[in-house]
Amino acid sequence: SFQQINIAVPSTGLQKVIEIDDEKRLQNLYERRMAQEIDGSVLGEEFAGYILRITGGNDKQGFPMRQGILCNHRVRLLMQKGHKGYRQRRAGERKRKSIRGCIVSQDIAVLNLAVVKMGDNTIAGLTDDSVPRRLGPKRANKIRKLFNLDKEDDVRKYVISRTFTNKKGKTVRKAPRIQRLVTPLVLQRKRARKAAKLASVLRNKEDKAAYTKLVAQRLAEQKEARRSLISKRRSTRKSAKIAAESS
């Protein structure tokens, strides 16, 4: 049996497919799991010193390997939205689909590997050249991470963009809009939100104080009205008693 090995180098952006039909060399790959790192010398002398990570693969019928399924054969899983290897056609739909486990076996037709550590040898079509990244990160912190920038550096100068001529013959520069970029306007809006929140708290305090004062005033008025009513009744009773005694 032969197996295709798809090797990718993330740092150069290149990938290469090699075919191995030697069963002894393939034996070194069997029973390995996805995300496991292997020594490159198992693939051949030219990969000596390289360290490769298994990222996935397909079997002869095209069913992909899936991380977390600890077997080396196909299984049928009930899948829903968000699961790998399944795309729902209707809202809330679930379906039982075939998927291959994360352990490499002789049924795997294509195995995907990624280079984690480079060796001393240069491999033609893999490490001898590099492809410029067409699309770069969009988020400010991810751009900083990619180019190893400090907080003081201007992120806008490092955005990966491309210049091309459109149909009208005009030269256009196309670049992503940077997300989570802290600009003076963002800080101004933050200060405005903070000031509005503080003003709201102060206004609520003032309104509460005014309401408490009004409630106390109304209670005092009610007490005064009740007191005057009681005194009126007493004076009326007293005068009626005096009139009755005199008669």
Side-chain angles (χ1 to χ4, degrees):
S1 68
F2 78 93
Q3 205 168 42
Q4 283 188 337
I5 310 290
N6 185 15
I7 304 165
V9 186
S11 57
T12 62
L14 295 171
Q15 61 180 24
K16 188 178 183 180
V17 177
I18 60 169
E19 288 186 3
I20 298 176
D21 53 2
D22 184 6
E23 192 63 35
K24 282 186 181 177
R25 281 157 73 189
L26 290 174
Q27 285 290 337
N28 297 313
L29 297 171
Y30 295 157
E31 300 306 316
R32 301 289 184 104
R33 290 185 189 175
M34 278 174 70
Q36 206 170 355
E37 292 181 358
I38 59 170
D39 188 14
S41 57
V42 301
L43 300 177
E45 290 300 318
E46 69 268 24
F47 291 100
Y50 282 77
I51 292 175
L52 307 161
R53 189 176 70 246
I54 299 169
T55 56
N58 296 346
D59 64 8
K60 292 178 178 70
Q61 285 76 35
F63 291 98
M65 292 168 71
R66 182 160 147 188
Q67 182 66 288
I69 301 166
L70 301 175
C71 63
N72 60 0
H73 53 83
R74 279 210 299 257
V75 290
R76 284 176 62 77
L77 298 181
L78 189 65
M79 297 196 190
Q80 61 185 33
K81 187 185 178 184
H83 286 187
K84 285 182 181 176
Y86 174 68
R87 180 169 64 87
Q88 71 167 15
R89 266 52 171 194
R90 298 179 67 182
E93 183 188 45
R94 295 191 303 166
K95 206 168 188 179
R96 198 169 288 281
K97 303 280 281 183
S98 288
I99 204 96
R100 182 159 282 281
C102 69
I103 298 170
V104 180
S105 69
Q106 61 267 29
D107 297 326
I108 298 292
V110 182
L111 191 67
N112 302 325
L113 304 175
V115 174
V116 177
K117 181 174 171 271
M118 295 274 201
D120 299 327
N121 301 334
T122 303
I123 299 161
L126 207 59
T127 57
D128 59 346
D129 196 10
S130 65
V131 176
R133 291 183 64 156
R134 186 178 165 273
L135 299 173
K138 199 175 162 77
R139 194 184 297 176
N141 275 347
K142 291 195 175 176
I143 296 168
R144 285 193 190 99
K145 189 180 175 185
L146 179 67
F147 292 104
N148 214 1
L149 305 176
D150 295 323
K151 284 201 171 181
E152 287 74 37
D153 295 322
D154 189 6
V155 180
R156 288 170 288 192
K157 291 177 184 173
Y158 295 89
V159 177
I160 293 173
S161 61
R162 63 192 179 97
T163 309
F164 63 97
T165 308
N166 63 9
K167 288 178 183 176
K168 293 178 181 176
K170 201 174 179 183
T171 305
V172 182
R173 179 180 172 271
K174 203 166 191 179
R177 184 168 176 270
I178 302 170
Q179 302 295 315
R180 302 188 189 180
L181 183 65
V182 179
T183 59
L185 185 63
V186 169
L187 295 172
Q188 182 188 328
R189 284 173 181 163
K190 190 178 179 182
R191 286 195 299 271
R193 280 199 302 273
K194 197 175 178 182
K197 202 172 183 181
L198 193 64
S200 174
V201 169
L202 292 171
R203 191 170 61 248
N204 287 345
K205 274 187 179 178
E206 287 171 7
D207 290 351
K208 190 179 178 184
Y211 177 72
T212 309
K213 189 180 175 183
L214 185 65
V215 167
Q217 186 188 330
R218 292 282 159 83
L219 284 171
E221 285 172 3
Q222 282 179 3
K223 276 185 181 178
E224 189 59 41
R226 186 168 173 74
R227 203 179 288 119
S228 65
L229 185 67
I230 288 167
S231 63
K232 263 186 187 178
R233 281 179 184 169
R234 278 178 185 166
S235 62
T236 309
R237 281 175 190 167
K238 201 173 183 182
S239 57
K241 195 175 180 183
I242 291 164
E245 282 173 0
S246 61
S247 61

